[in-house]
């Protein structure tokens, strides 16, 4: 076997030296990175509390969409929401008093979907021969605008109406501590020391409200997926029941 010439043998000293130099470069780059200044905020942390709140409400109004999840406590009861809201409507779940139903609104078309237990709890008249509760189970029930329930139910799917009603504080505003929600730095705006509500506002990018603590311990909500697209798909015809029409005009 022919011995390799010295010129073709691996130069291990040179290889190790190169590796050591590369390692030193990585350390140097890491050290330089550690000295870099932190990213600048969107500037709301330099504003008075009332103006931070105003910026957050304006950002929310201008956004094309949002996901809203959490609890809302009202005189009518406690509601657990998980809904996506946009300019054309909304979709999601609402839970209250041990029952859960889905809502879907596309433009003026509003649907509610629930199981048989939910419909039985609503006290649907037995004499209503069309669409008894067992046929409503899992169907999309169309709610017509004339139905008294339309306004209340559609409110859960109306982005601006819902946010206008929820993003409210009561009392003297003050800036609270900075924090973090899902990796996003935030700053708190507190009303009446927190008793009148708290809004946590994003410190990076658009100053969206990311969390809301309603005054008077009336629930807490998370607001995320700002500006993200989502689909509103019309149910198939065989999945729709016109129960709303039958309830209002049972003789038809």
């Amino acid at each position: 076997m022919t011995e390799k010439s010295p010129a073709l043998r691996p130069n291990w000293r040179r290889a190790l030296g190169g590796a050591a130099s590369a390692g030193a470069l990585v350390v140097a780059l890491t050290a330089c990175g550690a000295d870099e200044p932190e990213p600048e905020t969107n500037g709301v942390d330099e504003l008075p509390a009332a103006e931070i709140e105003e910026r957050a409400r304006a950002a929310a109004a201008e956004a094309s969409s949002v996901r809203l999840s959490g609890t809302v406590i009202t005189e009518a009861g406690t509601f657990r929401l998980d809904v996506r809201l946009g300019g054309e409507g909304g979709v999601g779940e609402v839970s209250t008093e041990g029952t859960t139903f889905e809502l879907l609104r596309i433009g003026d078309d509003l649907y509610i979907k629930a199981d048989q237990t939910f419909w039985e709890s609503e006290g649907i008249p037995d004499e209503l021969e069309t669409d008894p509760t067992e046929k409503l189970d899992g169907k999309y029930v169309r709610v017509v605008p004339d139905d008294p329930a339309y306004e209340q139910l559609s409110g859960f799917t109306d982005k601006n109406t819902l946010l206008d009603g929820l993003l409210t504080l009561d009392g003297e505003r003050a800036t609270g501590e900075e924090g973090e929600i899902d990796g996003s730095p935030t700053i708190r705006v507190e009303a009446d020391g927190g008793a009148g509500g708290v809004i946590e506002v994003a410190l990076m990018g658009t100053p969206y409200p990311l969390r809301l603590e309603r005054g008077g311990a009336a629930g807490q909500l998370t607001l995320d997926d700002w500006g993200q697209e989502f689909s509103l798909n019309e149910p198939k015809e065989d999945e729709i029941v016109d129960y709303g029409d039958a309830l209002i005009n049972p003789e038809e």
Side-chain angles (χ1 to χ4, degrees):
M1 184 174 180
T2 305
E3 184 181 355
K4 293 181 180 179
S5 67
L8 297 178
R9 291 175 182 170
N11 191 330
W12 58 270
R13 291 186 178 86
R14 183 180 301 169
L16 288 177
S21 298
L25 178 60
V26 170
V27 173
L29 290 174
T30 303
C32 290
D35 293 335
E36 291 180 357
E38 295 183 0
E40 294 184 0
T41 70
N42 52 27
V44 296
D45 51 330
E46 303 294 331
L47 301 175
E51 191 166 346
I52 299 175
E53 177 191 1
E54 183 179 340
R55 293 281 185 93
R57 289 176 62 89
E62 293 172 4
S64 60
S65 63
V66 65
R67 180 185 178 187
L68 187 68
S69 58
T71 303
V72 176
I73 302 172
T74 70
E75 293 180 356
T78 299
F79 299 90
R80 175 75 188 177
L81 311 179
D82 189 355
V83 294
R84 289 186 176 274
L85 310 170
E88 298 301 318
V91 60
E93 286 189 349
V94 179
S95 300
T96 181
E97 298 180 356
T99 63
T100 299
F101 54 90
E102 297 178 31
L103 288 175
L104 170 64
R105 184 178 62 83
I106 306 174
D108 292 330
D109 295 331
L110 176 65
Y111 305 93
I112 180 172
K113 181 181 179 181
D115 59 18
Q116 183 176 342
T117 302
F118 170 85
W119 291 113
E120 289 174 346
S121 70
E122 291 300 296
I124 297 174
D126 294 334
E127 65 269 23
L128 195 62
E129 296 181 359
T130 57
D131 307 324
T133 58
E134 62 267 21
K135 292 186 178 181
L136 298 178
D137 185 7
K139 295 289 187 177
Y140 286 92
V141 177
R142 194 192 309 272
V143 184
V144 297
D146 290 337
D147 192 309
Y150 184 92
E151 183 176 356
Q152 179 182 5
L153 293 174
S154 64
F156 287 115
T157 63
D158 189 311
K159 171 182 169 286
N160 289 336
T161 297
L162 194 55
L163 291 182
D164 283 346
L166 293 175
L167 291 175
T168 58
L169 301 177
D170 183 21
E172 184 177 353
R173 275 62 161 172
T175 303
E177 296 181 352
E178 295 185 10
E180 186 177 287
I181 297 176
D182 294 333
S184 299
T186 61
I187 189 167
R188 288 168 64 92
V189 176
E190 303 174 347
D192 193 19
V198 176
I199 296 176
E200 293 190 57
V201 181
L203 276 176
M204 304 296 292
T206 305
Y208 291 123
L210 300 184
R211 181 178 291 156
L212 168 68
E213 299 172 19
R214 302 187 70 217
Q220 181 170 300
L221 294 156
T222 298
L223 304 93
D224 55 15
D225 293 351
W226 288 102
Q228 293 190 16
E229 294 184 1
F230 65 95
S231 299
L232 291 172
N233 300 314
E234 192 81 24
K236 297 178 180 178
E237 282 301 319
D238 61 359
E239 297 176 329
I240 300 174
V241 176
D242 282 322
Y243 170 72
D245 286 330
L247 180 62
I248 296 172
N249 301 302
E251 297 179 357
E252 292 185 3

